[in-house]
Each structure stands twice: as C-alpha cells, then as structure tokens.
Amino acid sequence: AQSVTQLGSHVSVSEGALVLLRCNYSSSVPPYLFWYVQYPNQGLQLLLKYTSAATLVKGINGFEAEFKKSETSFHLTKPSAHMSDAAEYFCAVTLTSGTYKYIFGTGTRLKVLA
Amino acid sequence: DTEVTQTPKHLVMGMTNKKSLKCEQHMGHRAMYWYKQKAKKPPELMFVYSYEKLSINESVPSRFSPECPNSSLLNLHLHALQPEDSALYLCASSRGTDPTRDLYFGPGTRLLVL
C-alpha cells in the first residue's frame, strides 16, 4: 500500500539558509508524489508534483524536489528561505489503483528565523 | 478564476443545531471533495463527488450529509454534531479523478461545536 513519511514535524531555518523538508514514500509501483503548502488560516496549495516525467521537479515560489527511486525519497528544497515561507508543508501520494485517493503525510511545520 | 470559495469562514453551533457549509468553484472541475482537518494534522478525506455523484464516503457518521446540487456547488449539512467534530472543514476540487490531478483547496470553514 502506498504511504508517505515526513521526517521532522518541525524544521527551523534562518532567513537566507537552505530549506530541506524530507519525504519518503513506500509504494510497490511507481508513485505520483506531491508537495502542498498550507499557510496559517488557509487551505492547501499545490507547490509541485512528480508524475514520472522529469525526476527534478520545479515548483512555485522557488521550491523544487527530486524524485530518487533508489532512496524512495521526494525531498523538498529551496536554496534561500524567506520569512514568507513559514507554513505547514504536506507531502502526498496518490493511490495508483481503485479510487486514486490522496494519502497525505503528517506534515512539517517550517519556521524561518530572522 | 482558480479559486474555491467557502462560506462561512467561522461557525459556532450547539449539538442540537442544524447548519450547512457551502463550497463553490467556477473552474469547470468535475470532482469535488470534503476534507476534515484537526489541528496539527493532515486533511482527512470525508466525501468525493465525481460528476455530481457521490463516489466516495469514507465511513463518515450520518450527522454529516453532503449534497452536490450542480457541478459548481458542494454543500455539507450538519446535524446533531459532537464537540469532537470541531475542526477545519476544507473543500477542494479537481479537473478529474486521475491519480495525477491537482487539488484546489478553499480556505476552509472553522467549526466549533459546543
């Protein structure tokens, strides 16, 4: 069964520093993977997704993620954190059979320090 | 228009009340969803409508009753809720139900049951 694990429920970085949010997946077949961001008091917004085309995926707001099959990972990165990046980030996978439901990870709260 | 709107933004209700949450999108999406999100948790799927027909009910208690009057509107009728039902209720839509779909979320209705 497909699932995702996000390591680190809280991550703090200094403004201007590299952002790295970790996501590992478990899937018996090639998965489709997503990163969503949720700002305070808002709904979720798609940052980027992997759908078996390019393994390096670029998203909005300067974020990117690399699909690594050998490591079963899809980590989210941004070279330089901005205060406005402070939010909750969810990794997700969709089931590849049946109803194609989204399975969300438990989330990582990113704090950006001035 | 890439927006999903939800009303009301906040709702306080007693355990004997009947209320409704409303969701609207004008992107021509044919799938609409209700999610429930507790604090510091990922969204949990409640219902999925595809082409205005209920396609997924995640064993949600009958005190939650969804309705899809047309392809742009989704309602969630609430009756005799319990305090543990207090949460952020998110509506989402997508173009279809394929596994690579993007979900577009509304800002949510924050519900407090007293």
Side-chain angles (χ1 to χ4, degrees):
Chain A
Q2 285 100 336
S3 67
V4 288
T5 302
Q6 292 185 241
L7 295 174
S9 58
H10 291 80
V11 170
S12 293
V13 299
S14 298
E15 191 174 20
L18 172 72
V19 176
L20 171 61
L21 304 183
R22 298 177 187 276
C23 174
N24 288 87
Y25 68 90
S26 63
S27 176
S28 56
V29 296
Y32 300 115
L33 293 157
F34 306 76
W35 276 100
Y36 281 82
V37 61
Q38 186 174 28
Y39 299 103
N41 300 314
Q42 293 188 29
L44 283 72
Q45 179 184 11
L46 179 68
L47 276 176
L48 48 81
K49 65 180 179 181
Y50 167 75
T51 58
S52 73
T55 57
L56 181 62
V57 182
K58 294 188 185 299
I60 62 171
N61 301 340
F63 283 95
E64 64 181 37
E66 187 171 8
F67 175 72
K68 291 187 177 180
K69 186 177 178 180
S70 60
E71 299 176 11
T72 62
S73 68
F74 189 57
H75 301 331
L76 183 70
T77 60
K78 181 174 180 178
S80 176
H82 192 272
M83 298 297 288
S84 59
D85 295 326
E88 187 87 22
Y89 292 80
F90 293 99
C91 182
V93 65
T94 49
L95 300 181
T96 52
S97 63
T99 57
Y100 305 135
K101 286 194 301 188
Y102 261 73
I103 306 296
F104 286 95
T106 51
T108 297
R109 181 164 296 275
L110 177 66
K111 187 174 180 180
V112 181
L113 308 170
Chain B
D1 182 3
T2 59
E3 192 179 19
V4 176
T5 59
Q6 290 188 243
T7 54
K9 285 187 168 37
H10 301 273
L11 180 62
V12 180
M13 59 187 291
M15 289 190 283
T16 57
N17 292 157
K18 284 186 182 181
K19 296 286 184 183
S20 296
L21 310 185
K22 182 179 173 181
C23 172
E24 194 166 4
Q25 57 86 16
H26 294 288
M27 295 178 277
H29 289 175
R30 302 315 301 264
M32 296 186 78
Y33 310 76
W34 282 114
Y35 282 86
K36 174 183 178 180
Q37 187 179 28
K38 300 284 267 185
K40 304 185 193 306
K41 298 288 187 186
E44 298 172 26
L45 182 63
M46 300 175 72
F47 303 104
V48 180
Y49 273 83
S50 178
Y51 288 85
E52 299 153 55
K53 289 189 173 9
L54 184 64
S55 62
I56 295 178
N57 177 339
E58 290 288 277
S59 303
V60 178
S62 60
R63 57 185 184 266
F64 295 90
S65 174
E67 178 196 20
C68 189
N70 60 53
S71 59
S72 300
L73 282 176
L74 186 66
N75 299 320
L76 186 63
H77 303 298
L78 314 173
H79 177 231
L81 294 193
Q82 304 297 308
E84 61 264 28
D85 297 320
S86 299
L88 181 68
Y89 288 84
L90 293 165
C91 175
S93 69
S94 62
R95 186 168 292 119
T97 54
D98 62 282
T100 64
R101 67 197 182 280
D102 301 351
L103 291 180
Y104 291 75
F105 283 86
T109 293
R110 193 163 294 282
L111 173 68
L112 177 62
V113 182
L114 300 175

